[in-house]
Amino acid sequence: MQFHNPEQALEQCSRTLGEHGGVAPSISRSSTFVVDDPESMAALFSGEREDGFLYSRSFNPTVNVLCRSLAALEATEAAMGTASGMAAIATTLLQLCRHGDHIVASDTIYGGSHALLETLLPQLNITTTFVDSSDPAAVEAAITPHTRVIYSETMGNPTLRIADIRALATVAHDHGLQLVVDNTFSPVVVTPALLGADVVVYSLTKFINGASDLIAGAICGSEAFIRELMDLHSGRIMLTGPTMDPRVAFDIHQRLPHLPLRMREHGRRAMAMAELLEDLGLTVRYPGLASHPQHQLFAGMVNQGYGYGGMLTLDCGSRGQAEELMRVLQNEEQFGLLAVSLGYFDTLISCSSASTSSEIGELDQQKMGLAPGLLRLAVGYTGSLEGRLHQLQRAVEKVLAVSV
Ligand SMILES: *Cc1c(COP(=O)(O)O)cnc(C)c1O
């Protein structure tokens, strides 16, 4: 098994000091850059030379600083920042697929990605078959002569089903396809490129930024693929334009050094809460629990020492019970905040069927195992863990009528 130490990878990535020796890199906000002479301008535009900056929709020094760190973290040759996670996903799929092409995708993915694949891309005659991506045989059976891409999340949103990335990579490469993995739920914990993923996409909005104060995304892959995305004539990022702002790149870059610490703590607390809920006899799902259907698989995929991530779900039986529990957790116990998204320092709680997965039809929700009373907890790390466990226990005892 390949060993990856994300902390070491980040640490060994070349440091960029700021102007005047600043310990933080400088922010290069220029949209356009001066070149030495007319020949240089022509050579930079033709791609004959790559040693300078021209215009920030293509490349920007501060965005490059972040991208170098992301590539190191993900063990890919290169990375590119985007304006959002959806921009990363959409431009990646548009780059890999043409009119008439086909995608095999996991049926358990983020609502926006599901809508992109189910509704928007078919309007461009790029179609998708949705399957259970934890079943490589089902994925293989869905491949057609037109298939170009296998698309999955490492940990499916919101059911936390785990994709067997190694097996999916084997299926993809046996058929000459690209495996694209959305690793938004498990940065540092899993490094999909080392398990065989060709392209790793992220919503940096979540754990990687960690402060719920900006929207951003990234695409990590080969040098050649990033170059294609930025091609002057056909690059999907270059020509649709969802590039990253240098100020956003700077903010995220300054939060990368403590990402491993944060992931470890998100994971430690999520594990403790999952164990508590399981002990109370509740229907909890967390990839760190032995009761999770793909626990063994996941344990063989994670980088050692970072836990199993910060996401857990609790099936409250009905939408009404889920909503009552959310109300008590936020308004009576101050346990966390009723909000979508994840990766914040406070715990964020949402009812998936009525929020981030509401784009997915009721039947498809049933098929992917998304119960109407499923609460998603994105576990934070503020407050004492002991205090949080007490708050959680009081709330579930009150609302779900469990007795210890
Ligand atoms: C939030 C999210 C996205 C979309 O990212 P944005 O930054 O909101 O565009 C994609 N995939 C997953 C798994 C997400 O949680």
Side-chain angles (χ1 to χ4, degrees):
M1 199 186 298
Q2 277 159 308
F3 178 73
H4 184 60
N5 184 323
E7 269 159 308
Q8 218 162 37
L10 281 172
E11 161 63 23
Q12 284 167 358
C13 172
S14 64
R15 286 294 171 89
T16 309
L17 293 182
E19 239 185 313
H20 318 296
V23 293
S26 298
I27 309 179
S28 288
R29 286 175 56 179
S30 283
S31 57
T32 188
F33 297 83
V34 178
V35 294
D36 296 337
D37 47 59
E39 295 76 40
S40 301
M41 177 81 87
L44 284 164
F45 258 98
S46 69
E48 195 184 307
R49 271 180 56 184
E50 295 178 341
D51 56 343
F53 292 97
L54 278 169
Y55 185 61
S56 283
R57 177 156 43 78
S58 54
F59 292 99
N60 169 278
T62 310
V63 176
N64 277 9
V65 168
L66 172 67
C67 291
R68 275 201 298 277
S69 292
L70 290 176
L73 177 67
E74 292 306 316
T76 54
E77 285 175 6
M80 181 45 85
T82 56
S84 67
M86 283 314 301
I89 296 163
T91 52
T92 293
L93 294 176
L94 287 171
Q95 194 71 50
L96 293 172
C97 298
R98 301 287 177 274
H99 189 268
D101 285 347
H102 175 254
I103 298 169
V104 179
S106 163
D107 58 9
T108 305
I109 52 175
Y110 177 69
S113 308
H114 195 274
L116 174 74
L117 290 162
E118 186 180 59
T119 309
L120 190 152
L121 290 180
Q123 292 171 2
L124 310 177
N125 197 24
I126 297 168
T127 55
T128 295
T129 303
F130 293 96
V131 298
D132 175 352
S133 69
S134 67
D135 178 359
V139 171
E140 187 157 33
I143 293 172
T144 76
H146 298 288
T147 308
R148 295 286 170 266
V149 169
I150 296 177
Y151 181 83
S152 183
E153 293 172 4
T154 307
M155 192 185 289
N157 177 40
T159 61
L160 310 185
R161 205 177 61 198
I162 305 298
D164 187 343
I165 296 176
R166 282 193 193 89
L168 291 182
T170 303
V171 170
H173 301 151
D174 281 352
H175 292 266
L177 315 178
Q178 298 277 299
L179 174 62
V180 179
V181 173
D182 179 341
N183 197 45
T184 299
F185 275 29
S186 47
V188 176
V189 174
V190 176
T191 308
L194 289 180
L195 305 175
D198 299 290
V199 183
V200 181
V201 289
Y202 272 107
S203 169
L204 302 179
T205 313
K206 316 293 170 54
F207 286 108
I208 292 190
N209 180 57
S212 294
D213 60 354
L214 53 80
I215 302 278
I219 302 168
C220 308
S222 69
E223 193 87 62
F225 184 61
I226 301 301
R227 222 179 276 264
E228 266 181 58
L229 287 162
M230 302 311 292
D231 185 88
L232 283 178
H233 305 280
S234 63
R236 272 36 171 188
I237 294 183
M238 189 62 189
L239 298 180
T240 63
T243 37
M244 178 180 275
D245 186 277
R247 282 168 284 190
V248 169
F250 174 84
D251 283 354
I252 298 174
H253 180 263
Q254 292 305 90
R255 289 159 188 172
L256 284 185
H258 47 70
L259 174 64
L261 288 176
R262 288 188 276 119
M263 291 312 296
R264 213 181 263 132
E265 189 61 10
H266 281 296
R268 184 176 79 92
R269 289 175 176 238
M271 185 74 186
M273 289 177 191
E275 283 172 343
L276 169 73
L277 294 169
E278 190 162 70
D279 286 347
L280 292 172
L282 296 166
T283 312
V284 57
R285 183 163 286 196
Y286 179 66
L289 291 177
S291 60
H292 185 288
Q294 289 101 31
H295 171 68
Q296 284 306 327
L297 170 69
F298 197 54
M301 287 168 52
V302 298
N303 295 314
Q304 295 304 310
Y306 301 97
Y308 296 93
M311 305 298 293
L312 67 88
T313 65
L314 174 65
D315 190 347
C316 300
S318 69
R319 169 107 169 252
Q321 296 251 84
E323 287 176 347
E324 177 59 8
L325 182 59
M326 285 200 287
R327 195 188 62 72
V328 172
L329 283 171
Q330 175 178 265
N331 299 340
E332 290 181 19
E333 294 290 350
Q334 279 81 46
F335 167 84
L337 303 169
L338 214 166
V340 297
S341 198
L342 48 130
Y344 195 41
F345 40 73
D346 285 323
T347 296
L348 303 181
I349 316 161
S350 58
C351 179
S352 296
S353 64
S355 58
T356 49
S357 298
S358 58
E359 294 96 326
I360 303 170
E362 207 173 305
L363 263 176
D364 284 338
Q365 288 194 10
Q366 263 173 30
K367 235 171 63 189
M368 67 191 255
L370 203 186
L374 194 80
L375 270 200
R376 188 181 82 176
L377 273 69
V379 177
Y381 47 81
T382 54
S384 81
L385 174 56
E386 208 190 8
R388 294 292 183 223
L389 291 171
H390 284 308
Q391 292 172 325
L392 181 60
Q393 180 160 353
R394 273 196 302 268
V396 296
E397 280 174 357
K398 174 169 182 181
V399 178
L400 303 180
V402 291
S403 53
V404 209

Coordinates of all heavy atoms in Angstrom, one line a residue, residues 353-385:
S353 N -32.6 15.6 2.8 CA -33.7 15.4 1.7 C -34.4 16.8 1.4 O -34.9 17.0 0.3 CB -34.7 14.4 2.2 OG -35.4 14.9 3.4
A354 N -34.4 17.7 2.4 CA -35.1 19.0 2.2 C -34.1 20.1 1.9 O -34.5 21.2 1.8 CB -35.9 19.3 3.4
S355 N -32.8 19.8 1.7 CA -31.9 20.9 1.5 C -30.9 20.5 0.4 O -31.3 20.6 -0.8 CB -31.2 21.2 2.8 OG -30.5 20.1 3.3
T356 N -29.7 20.1 0.8 CA -28.7 19.9 -0.3 C -28.9 18.8 -1.2 O -28.2 18.7 -2.2 CB -27.3 19.7 0.4 OG1 -27.4 18.7 1.4 CG2 -26.8 21.0 1.0
S357 N -29.9 17.9 -0.9 CA -30.2 16.9 -1.9 C -31.6 17.0 -2.5 O -32.1 16.1 -3.1 CB -30.1 15.5 -1.2 OG -28.7 15.3 -0.8
S358 N -32.2 18.2 -2.3 CA -33.6 18.4 -2.7 C -33.7 18.5 -4.2 O -34.8 18.3 -4.8 CB -34.2 19.7 -2.1 OG -33.4 20.8 -2.4
E359 N -32.5 18.7 -4.9 CA -32.6 18.6 -6.4 C -32.9 17.2 -6.9 O -33.3 17.0 -8.0 CB -31.2 19.0 -7.0 CG -30.8 20.5 -6.8 CD -29.9 20.6 -5.6 OE1 -30.0 19.8 -4.6 OE2 -29.0 21.5 -5.6
I360 N -32.6 16.2 -6.0 CA -32.7 14.8 -6.4 C -34.2 14.4 -6.1 O -34.7 14.6 -5.0 CB -31.7 13.9 -5.6 CG1 -30.3 14.5 -5.9 CG2 -31.8 12.5 -6.0 CD1 -29.2 13.9 -5.0
G361 N -34.8 13.8 -7.1 CA -36.2 13.4 -7.0 C -36.4 12.4 -5.9 O -35.5 11.7 -5.5
E362 N -37.7 12.3 -5.4 CA -38.0 11.4 -4.3 C -37.6 10.0 -4.5 O -37.1 9.3 -3.6 CB -39.5 11.6 -4.0 CG -39.9 11.3 -2.5 CD -41.3 11.6 -2.3 OE1 -41.8 12.7 -2.6 OE2 -42.0 10.7 -1.8
L363 N -37.9 9.5 -5.7 CA -37.6 8.1 -6.0 C -36.1 7.8 -6.0 O -35.7 6.8 -5.5 CB -38.2 7.7 -7.4 CG -39.5 7.0 -7.4 CD1 -40.0 6.8 -8.8 CD2 -39.5 5.7 -6.6
D364 N -35.3 8.7 -6.6 CA -33.9 8.6 -6.6 C -33.3 8.7 -5.2 O -32.4 8.0 -4.9 CB -33.2 9.6 -7.5 CG -33.4 9.3 -9.0 OD1 -33.6 8.1 -9.3 OD2 -33.3 10.2 -9.8
Q365 N -34.0 9.5 -4.4 CA -33.5 9.7 -3.0 C -33.7 8.3 -2.3 O -32.8 7.8 -1.6 CB -34.3 10.7 -2.2 CG -34.0 12.1 -2.6 CD -34.5 13.2 -1.7 OE1 -35.0 12.8 -0.6 NE2 -34.5 14.5 -2.0
Q366 N -34.9 7.7 -2.6 CA -35.1 6.4 -2.0 C -34.1 5.3 -2.4 O -33.5 4.6 -1.6 CB -36.5 5.9 -2.4 CG -37.6 6.1 -1.3 CD -39.0 5.8 -1.9 OE1 -39.1 4.9 -2.8 NE2 -40.0 6.5 -1.5
K367 N -33.8 5.4 -3.7 CA -32.9 4.4 -4.3 C -31.5 4.5 -3.7 O -30.8 3.5 -3.5 CB -32.8 4.6 -5.9 CG -33.1 3.3 -6.6 CD -33.3 3.5 -8.1 CE -32.0 4.0 -8.8 NZ -32.3 4.4 -10.2
M368 N -31.1 5.8 -3.5 CA -29.7 6.0 -2.9 C -29.7 5.8 -1.4 O -28.6 6.0 -0.8 CB -29.1 7.3 -3.4 CG -29.8 8.5 -2.8 SD -29.2 10.0 -3.7 CE -28.2 10.7 -2.4
G369 N -30.8 5.5 -0.8 CA -30.9 5.3 0.6 C -30.9 6.5 1.5 O -30.5 6.5 2.6
L370 N -31.5 7.6 0.8 CA -31.6 8.9 1.6 C -33.0 8.9 2.2 O -34.0 9.2 1.6 CB -31.4 10.0 0.6 CG -30.9 11.4 1.1 CD1 -31.0 12.4 0.1 CD2 -31.7 11.9 2.4
A371 N -33.0 8.6 3.5 CA -34.3 8.6 4.2 C -34.7 10.1 4.5 O -33.9 11.0 4.7 CB -34.1 7.9 5.6
P372 N -36.0 10.3 4.5 CA -36.5 11.7 4.7 C -36.2 12.3 6.0 O -36.0 13.5 6.2 CB -38.1 11.6 4.5 CG -38.4 10.1 4.5 CD -37.1 9.4 4.2
G373 N -35.9 11.4 7.0 CA -35.6 11.9 8.4 C -34.1 11.9 8.6 O -33.6 11.9 9.8
L374 N -33.3 11.9 7.6 CA -31.8 11.8 7.7 C -31.2 13.1 8.1 O -31.4 14.1 7.3 CB -31.2 11.2 6.5 CG -29.7 10.8 6.6 CD1 -29.7 9.4 7.2 CD2 -29.0 10.8 5.3
L375 N -30.6 13.2 9.3 CA -29.9 14.4 9.6 C -28.4 14.3 9.3 O -27.9 13.2 9.6 CB -30.0 14.7 11.1 CG -31.1 15.5 11.7 CD1 -30.7 16.0 13.1 CD2 -31.5 16.6 10.8
R376 N -27.9 15.3 8.7 CA -26.4 15.3 8.4 C -25.7 16.2 9.4 O -26.1 17.4 9.5 CB -26.2 15.7 7.0 CG -24.8 15.6 6.6 CD -24.6 16.1 5.1 NE -24.4 17.5 5.1 CZ -24.1 18.2 4.0 NH1 -24.0 17.6 2.8 NH2 -23.9 19.5 4.0
L377 N -24.8 15.7 10.1 CA -24.0 16.5 11.1 C -22.6 16.7 10.5 O -21.9 15.7 10.3 CB -23.9 15.9 12.4 CG -25.0 16.2 13.5 CD1 -26.3 15.5 13.0 CD2 -24.6 15.7 14.8
A378 N -22.2 17.9 10.3 CA -20.8 18.2 9.9 C -20.2 18.7 11.2 O -20.3 19.8 11.6 CB -20.8 19.3 8.8
V379 N -19.5 17.8 11.8 CA -19.0 18.0 13.2 C -17.9 19.0 13.3 O -16.9 18.8 12.6 CB -18.6 16.6 13.8 CG1 -18.1 16.8 15.3 CG2 -19.8 15.7 13.8
G380 N -18.0 20.0 14.1 CA -17.0 21.0 14.3 C -16.2 20.7 15.5 O -16.2 19.6 16.1
Y381 N -15.3 21.7 15.9 CA -14.4 21.4 17.0 C -14.4 22.5 18.1 O -13.4 22.6 18.8 CB -13.0 21.1 16.5 CG -12.5 22.1 15.5 CD1 -12.0 23.4 15.8 CD2 -12.5 21.8 14.1 CE1 -11.5 24.3 14.9 CE2 -12.1 22.7 13.2 CZ -11.6 23.9 13.6 OH -11.2 24.8 12.6
T382 N -15.4 23.4 18.1 CA -15.5 24.4 19.2 C -16.1 23.8 20.4 O -16.8 22.8 20.4 CB -16.3 25.6 18.7 OG1 -17.6 25.1 18.3 CG2 -15.7 26.3 17.6
G383 N -15.8 24.4 21.6 CA -16.4 23.9 22.8 C -15.7 22.7 23.3 O -14.9 22.1 22.6
S384 N -16.0 22.2 24.5 CA -15.3 21.0 25.0 C -16.1 19.8 24.4 O -17.3 19.9 24.3 CB -15.3 20.9 26.5 OG -16.6 20.5 27.0
L385 N -15.4 18.7 24.1 CA -16.0 17.6 23.5 C -17.0 17.0 24.5 O -18.1 16.6 24.2 CB -15.0 16.5 23.1 CG -15.5 15.2 22.6 CD1 -16.5 15.3 21.5 CD2 -14.3 14.3 22.2

